[in-house]
Amino acid sequence: EVQLVESGGGLVQPGGSLRLSCAASGFSFSSFWMHWVRQAPGKGLVWVSRIDSDGSYTNYADSVKGRFTISRDNAKNTVYLQMNSLRDEDTAVYYCARDLKVTNWIDSWGQGTLVTVSS
Amino acid sequence: EIVLTQSPATLSLSPGERATLSCRASQSISGYLGWYQQKRGQAPRLLIYDASNRATGIPARFSGSGSGTDFTLTISILEPEDFAVYYCQQRSQWPLTFGQGTRLEIK
């Protein structure tokens, strides 16, 4: 069974930093692209970032480019999202998600971790 | 970036009825559209990818159609568990984008 477990969320002040982690299990992690998707309270889904299977290629939403960095450690079956210069509008549940076989469709999701940016 | 506009914002129907949800893209995305279902308090679930392919384990009452800029998700006979929010997503161009969602509620 595919499992994705996010951690690292919490309350942070504007301008601060946070690193999210996502521990994967139940599949061959090193073979799959991974994504982060966020959802502000009561709002819709917003794609944040994607990393390919060996970490060579990454993509970002314009709203986070230059502030967020996605990375992965295939030895630890973990994907990360380093978030710097956080803003109020970054407040959201952040979902770690698995790509459907190199397609940019998302076929498995974690339960999410809440990030709250507030002073 | 490609903007996806979903309609209607809210759809009120009864179990047993047919649901038709629409997604329109701001430019042609060929057939690169997917649909997700999200129930309250849960993560989304992939229903349809590449416009018309059902994801693993998705019941046959869910179907997708369309190409270019206009796409449709149809639920042929609504079951009580189908009442949720539905999002479309495109993978034609970076950044990946989602529609704003259609809430399917019980009438």
Side-chain angles (χ1 to χ4, degrees):
Chain A
E1 180 193 1
V2 174
Q3 283 205 327
L4 300 168
V5 180
E6 302 93 338
S7 61
L11 175 64
V12 60
Q13 292 189 337
S17 298
L18 215 52
R19 188 176 83 155
L20 306 183
S21 299
C22 171
S25 60
F27 64 100
S28 179
F29 178 75
S30 62
S31 299
F32 285 82
W33 296 356
M34 297 295 294
H35 299 259
W36 288 96
V37 177
R38 69 184 182 185
Q39 186 169 35
K43 302 297 184 182
L45 301 170
V46 176
W47 174 81
V48 173
S49 184
R50 183 224 68 165
I51 188 166
D52 71 351
S53 56
D54 66 1
S56 298
Y57 294 98
T58 58
N59 299 88
Y60 297 93
D62 288 346
S63 59
V64 307
K65 201 173 293 184
R67 300 189 299 124
F68 290 12
T69 303
I70 190 171
S71 62
R72 65 191 296 160
D73 185 336
N74 285 344
K76 295 183 177 179
N77 288 354
T78 301
V79 61
Y80 304 97
L81 187 67
Q82 177 68 43
M83 303 186 296
N84 299 330
S85 303
L86 283 161
R87 307 167 179 166
D88 291 350
E89 56 264 34
D90 295 319
T91 294
V93 172
Y94 284 74
Y95 292 103
C96 166
R98 188 186 78 167
D99 193 276
L100 174 65
K101 300 176 185 176
V102 192
T103 62
N104 286 321
W105 301 123
I106 298 172
D107 73 336
S108 297
W109 301 68
Q111 282 306 302
T113 186
L114 177 62
V115 172
T116 303
V117 184
S118 175
S119 54
Chain B
E1 84 178 32
I2 294 175
V3 176
L4 299 177
T5 302
Q6 293 186 239
S7 61
T10 303
L11 185 58
S12 300
L13 294 170
S14 300
E17 292 192 294
R18 181 185 187 91
T20 302
L21 287 67
S22 295
C23 179
R24 175 165 289 178
S26 58
Q27 63 188 79
S28 178
I29 57 172
S30 187
Y32 298 131
L33 189 98
W35 292 93
Y36 298 81
Q37 176 194 67
Q38 187 178 32
K39 296 180 181 179
R40 187 179 300 274
Q42 296 185 15
R45 177 174 70 147
L46 178 66
L47 300 175
I48 301 287
Y49 63 95
D50 289 340
S52 60
N53 295 298
R54 269 190 304 276
T56 301
I58 301 304
R61 65 181 182 274
F62 291 91
S63 64
S65 63
S67 66
T69 60
D70 291 300
F71 299 85
T72 300
L73 173 69
T74 301
I75 311 172
S76 58
I77 301 173
L78 282 167
E79 298 287 346
E81 61 267 27
D82 297 336
F83 292 90
V85 180
Y86 292 83
Y87 295 94
C88 58
Q89 179 227 320
Q90 65 80 24
R91 70 167 186 110
S92 174
Q93 187 180 107
W94 297 108
L96 306 182
T97 51
F98 289 91
Q100 82 281 14
T102 289
R103 179 177 302 279
L104 178 56
E105 64 177 27
I106 298 177
K107 187 174 182 179

